Amino acid sequence: MNYASIRTCDIANGEGVRVTLFVSGCTHRCKGCFNPDQWDFDYGEPFTREVEDRILKELEPSYIAGLSILGGEPMEPENQRALVPFLRRFEDMRQKTGDKTLWVYTGCLLEELKDPASRWHTEVTDEFLEMIDVLVDGPFVEELKDISLQFRGSSNQRILKLK
């Protein structure tokens, strides 16, 4: 998996000050997407163990509320498989601190992700979903764009508290 960028002091993609990972690769291709360069799975840099270590280090300060993962599309099957081992490390870290949350943004609906017949459901999807505190789901729909909405771009998107 590649990633496009990491923000270490983000207040737009979840509650509080967050570390945000933007992954590469997305097949949704939403009209009006604000990250079309991240549709390409080869965009950006490889997501390595060193990158994981850097993110975990950036999450350490007490003022950091948690981790947000956007894209691209984190729930692309290949991205899920790359992210889950990292999120296991994140889970270990937050077991010690107990105060970091995980927000994930996806163009998929939660129902699609849970459906074993869906192309989005993989052998790691259930584990991935169990780690998420807040899932912002649904594709961006340009005709439903609303800049007054908090933490989402269009009114069809839902903010779902999974924990």
Side-chain angles (χ1 to χ4, degrees):
M1 180 185 85
N2 279 7
Y3 73 98
S5 64
I6 298 167
R7 292 187 188 159
T8 58
C9 193
D10 186 0
I11 59 169
N13 295 300
E15 294 174 340
V17 180
R18 310 187 66 75
V19 175
T20 302
L21 169 65
F22 289 84
V23 301
S24 296
C26 181
T27 56
H28 293 296
R29 308 268 195 275
C30 299
K31 177 183 165 193
C33 174
F34 72 99
N35 287 328
D37 51 345
Q38 294 172 25
W39 294 350
D40 182 350
F41 285 86
D42 294 324
Y43 182 81
E45 301 294 324
F47 189 68
T48 64
R49 180 74 175 209
E50 291 76 25
V51 173
E52 291 180 14
D53 292 344
R54 177 177 152 220
I55 293 170
L56 292 172
K57 183 76 173 157
E58 294 290 348
L59 285 161
E60 288 178 0
S62 60
Y63 66 87
I64 298 293
L67 174 65
S68 294
I69 304 177
L70 297 85
E73 175 56 70
M75 301 311 287
E76 288 287 351
E78 50 268 80
N79 289 347
Q80 289 183 49
R81 291 179 182 107
L83 287 168
V84 165
F86 164 64
L87 292 176
R88 289 179 189 135
R89 296 182 67 202
F90 173 72
E91 281 291 304
D92 290 344
M93 182 206 75
R94 75 176 175 168
Q95 290 296 323
K96 295 172 188 153
T97 63
D99 63 348
K100 308 293 182 189
T101 60
L102 175 62
W103 283 54
V104 175
Y105 287 73
T106 178
C108 301
L109 296 175
L110 177 59
E111 294 80 5
E112 291 175 297
L113 296 171
K114 287 183 170 184
D115 180 359
S118 167
R119 87 165 199 84
W120 301 100
H121 192 275
T122 74
E123 70 283 355
V124 297
T125 304
D126 293 335
E127 181 181 2
F128 195 157
L129 291 172
E130 287 173 10
M131 292 187 261
I132 298 171
D133 295 289
V134 178
L135 182 73
V136 181
D137 81 342
F140 173 74
V141 177
E142 189 171 48
E143 295 76 21
L144 300 176
K145 180 179 179 178
D146 183 346
I147 62 169
S148 71
L149 296 171
Q150 190 174 31
F151 307 129
R152 53 201 170 121
S154 58
S155 61
N156 64 297
Q157 295 172 311
R158 305 179 296 181
I159 300 173
L160 304 171
K161 293 187 178 182
L162 301 186
K163 284 189 179 179

